[in-house]
Amino acid sequence: MDDKAREDYFHFVCAQYYDDDRSIKVNGTTIDRYMFVITILLRQRELFAKQPRLQLSLGGMRGLFWSGAGRRKGGKELGTIPALPDEVFDPLMTEALRWLDVYSADIIELRKIEAEAAERCASWRSKNKTYYINRHLVGFQFSKNPLTNLPWRDELRMIEEVLDVDETGTLRQKLGPLGVLRRLISNLLAACSVVIQGFTGLRISELLGLRAEAYFRSDLFPSCISIRPSLDGLNQVFLLNGEIFKGAVSESSREGQWVVGIRPVDSDFVPEAVRALILVLEVVEGWRNLTQDTHVFIHPKAQGMPRSKDGVGAARSNLMRKLQQQFLVQWVELPVEFAGWHLSTHQFRKKFAQDIVRCDPGALPAVREHFKHMSMHILETGYIGSDAELLRLIDDFALRDAAAQIMSIIDGEPVAGKMSDEIRRATPRIRQAYDNSISEEDRRKKIEGLIDSEGIRAWPCDFGTCLFRAETAMCHFAGRGFYDPSALKPLASERCADRCSSCSNLVVSARNLQFWKDRYRHNERLRLAYKEEGNTSWALLASRRVQVAASMLQAHGISPKDLAHAA
């Protein structure tokens, strides 16, 4: 373990608790307590004198960890806080979407049964109301998990033992049906909040600041959602209207707007974040009827189910963080190395910005399609909402991703596309800009500085990444008849594999290989079919596409023999 490893561990700890753009919202000693592990290892250093490889090296980080300066540094260096890793995000979002799509119907049905029973006994002068309601909930049978074809939980019993697991340990308690229902509602609210934050990049303060008028018919959207046509009139853009908070109590909010989804004009598709909002309003409708509070996310103030306006109110940030963390621990199975992960709002924001830039083809289908459409919308309009900080975060990731692509080419990793050839030729000049002894992170920052002055950003799509330069952008030449020196990004309407594969801005990396494999197989089949039919012109077109796809794959070490077999 060297200085870099300790630095990485420090950033990891900060990422677990950093939850605001301005300060670390955590008790002052928490991070130091985690960093004290370094102190303990240093004290045991002499015990490993005969195994120096296992010794913790001496360095300048000790004062940082021991003095508590780590908290101050962690709050300032926002760039060091990583995005929520895929190993956590993917299973978390998969489970959250399953709650929206499958489990929510059972919870809403239970809410109706509970509400009807509560209404029937509301006028009783009896202490047995809770028992009466519980009797109506007992025996409820839950729908089947689509993965196992078995009920996703056991039917409700009069008493069941549950475990609460969090970072403080395990708490065993016994709950009746009403208590179980309360937990299920909290789980569902957490799942909805995860979906909304994951698909929008909202902070928790902005999520919990969302408001909607008294609930609506099921065929209408919440009042905080508006729809407008896209510039070309072919799509509808869903906008979420709320307030942007800076995190400081003394600062006032300002009106905010976020793009939360896009659909064709003739489609009835409802974006995941909008579905989550509708579901929240539906499941808490009874509670909203008790109070005049118009917040979307409301929650009981005490144990049990609220029966009066004093028993329910707007959910608070600490509560929602706790519910999200409990949902992760109780319902999501993580890889061993990520067990115990602590969720933080800023991780969701950085993950959102990263997905906008990368459009990872290996992501969950719903996530992949959402961010593919969002990226196209940004290219077409430059608009994603009025959250300026989020836009800067996206631009930072576009710059960072461009630098990472260039570093991979300099380091000799297999990369295809004309841009990669230019970078290889320029490698000696690029290497003159930094000392080979510096760390990989410092090297990336040096390259970022070089390309930032040139305005180069990474704009990915299924078939590759455009390291955009206006003077060589064939999409602008095809769409406008000239190279536009003022252009800052690709022209979305003209981007396609045929055109971009011959453009000097394209880089094809390993994450694009599946596209080119599929393109090779498809066009090879077409080439053979057209040739047999005697359709020479179409056979030639398919043949050219096969050749381009083959060259992209060959640059990654896939041989023509393998390609022929794959076809």
Side-chain angles (χ1 to χ4, degrees), residues 185-480:
I185 293 173
S186 295
N187 287 152
L188 183 57
L189 293 179
C192 290
S193 71
V194 165
V195 171
I196 296 170
Q197 285 191 274
F199 281 93
T200 65
L202 268 70
R203 302 178 182 92
I204 276 191
S205 57
E206 292 152 358
L207 174 79
L208 300 183
L210 294 175
R211 294 177 180 270
E213 300 302 324
Y215 196 44
F216 49 91
R217 301 196 316 269
S218 60
D219 58 335
L220 296 178
F221 292 116
S223 59
C224 57
I225 292 293
S226 57
I227 301 176
R228 75 178 189 192
S230 61
L231 290 180
D232 59 12
L234 299 178
N235 295 297
Q236 291 179 320
V237 181
F238 286 79
L239 301 172
L240 174 62
N241 305 291
E243 296 176 300
I244 294 178
F245 297 90
K246 290 293 187 181
V249 176
S250 60
E251 291 190 6
S252 60
S253 63
R254 58 186 174 86
E255 191 173 308
Q257 194 173 64
W258 296 264
V259 177
V260 295
I262 302 168
R263 72 179 182 186
V265 291
D266 58 348
S267 170
D268 59 358
F269 170 75
V270 178
E272 284 76 8
V274 179
R275 288 198 291 119
L277 280 170
I278 294 173
L279 188 55
V280 170
L281 290 169
E282 188 172 1
V283 78
V284 302
E285 183 178 12
W287 296 346
R288 284 168 61 87
N289 291 337
L290 295 174
T291 176
Q292 300 300 313
D293 198 322
T294 59
H295 283 92
V296 172
F297 282 88
I298 61 174
H299 200 269
K301 296 179 179 179
Q303 296 296 323
M305 301 291 280
R307 303 299 177 193
S308 68
K309 65 178 182 179
D310 295 330
V312 66
R316 303 301 180 189
S317 295
N318 287 339
L319 170 66
M320 189 54 66
R321 291 189 189 98
K322 180 180 178 181
L323 295 183
Q324 287 183 344
Q325 192 65 38
Q326 288 178 344
F327 180 82
L328 177 68
V329 171
Q330 295 171 5
W331 294 98
V332 182
E333 184 175 351
L334 297 178
V336 175
E337 60 270 28
F338 290 91
W341 186 270
H342 188 92
L343 287 176
S344 128
T345 300
H346 208 74
Q347 295 169 21
F348 278 114
R349 284 173 72 77
K350 284 210 166 185
K351 174 63 175 167
F352 174 84
Q354 175 181 289
D355 285 342
I356 284 286
V357 171
R358 293 184 179 175
C359 296
D360 186 2
L364 304 172
V367 174
R368 182 175 63 247
E369 289 304 309
H370 174 78
F371 286 107
K372 179 180 177 181
H373 295 152
M374 293 284 282
S375 295
M376 290 296 291
H377 179 70
I378 294 176
L379 286 176
E380 290 173 349
T381 68
Y383 182 80
I384 196 175
S386 54
D387 191 338
E389 190 271 340
L390 190 56
L391 280 172
R392 287 194 297 271
L393 200 58
I394 292 170
D395 186 69
D396 288 344
F397 264 100
L399 177 61
R400 188 183 184 94
D401 206 43
Q405 294 272 8
I406 292 173
M407 283 177 62
S408 66
I409 296 170
I410 293 174
D411 292 341
E413 294 181 17
V415 180
K418 286 190 174 183
M419 183 61 155
S420 63
D421 296 332
E422 291 192 32
I423 294 172
R424 291 188 185 100
R425 287 194 294 269
T427 293
R429 178 170 57 84
I430 297 174
R431 283 179 170 164
Q432 289 176 1
Y434 58 82
D435 185 344
N436 289 330
S437 63
I438 64 176
S439 68
E440 184 174 339
E441 181 69 12
D442 290 337
R443 186 160 64 105
R444 181 188 57 76
K445 290 179 179 179
K446 287 285 187 181
I447 294 177
E448 280 185 17
L450 288 175
I451 64 176
D452 189 21
S453 61
E454 299 293 329
I456 296 177
R457 297 292 187 275
W459 296 100
C461 59
D462 292 348
F463 53 79
T465 299
C466 174
L467 299 183
F468 185 78
R469 297 169 300 168
E471 65 272 17
T472 56
M474 292 187 65
C475 55
H476 282 270
F477 185 81
R480 298 174 177 173

Side-chain angles (χ1 to χ4, degrees), residues 119-188:
E119 185 177 2
R120 283 195 295 269
C121 66
S123 60
W124 291 4
R125 295 182 178 180
S126 170
K127 296 182 179 180
N128 293 327
K129 294 181 182 180
T130 299
Y131 178 78
Y132 176 80
I133 298 171
N134 279 336
R135 283 285 304 272
H136 281 75
L137 296 175
V138 166
F140 183 88
Q141 296 185 347
F142 293 85
S143 57
K144 294 182 179 180
N145 185 325
L147 296 179
T148 63
N149 203 33
L150 297 172
W152 62 275
R153 81 176 311 280
D154 294 335
E155 65 179 45
L156 290 182
R157 301 188 298 272
M158 189 58 76
I159 295 293
E160 61 179 80
E161 195 173 77
V162 298
L163 291 178
D164 276 333
V165 182
D166 59 24
E167 57 190 16
T168 63
T170 301
L171 174 65
R172 190 182 301 272
Q173 57 179 321
K174 293 182 178 181
L175 295 176
L178 275 173
V180 173
L181 175 57
R182 161 75 180 267
R183 281 168 56 94
L184 291 176
I185 293 173
S186 295
N187 287 152
L188 183 57

Side-chain angles (χ1 to χ4, degrees), residues 48-69:
F48 297 93
K50 294 183 179 180
Q51 295 178 298
R53 187 177 64 85
L54 300 180
Q55 282 186 319
L56 187 67
S57 61
L58 297 174
M61 295 291 287
R62 283 181 293 173
L64 172 69
F65 293 142
W66 292 342
S67 68

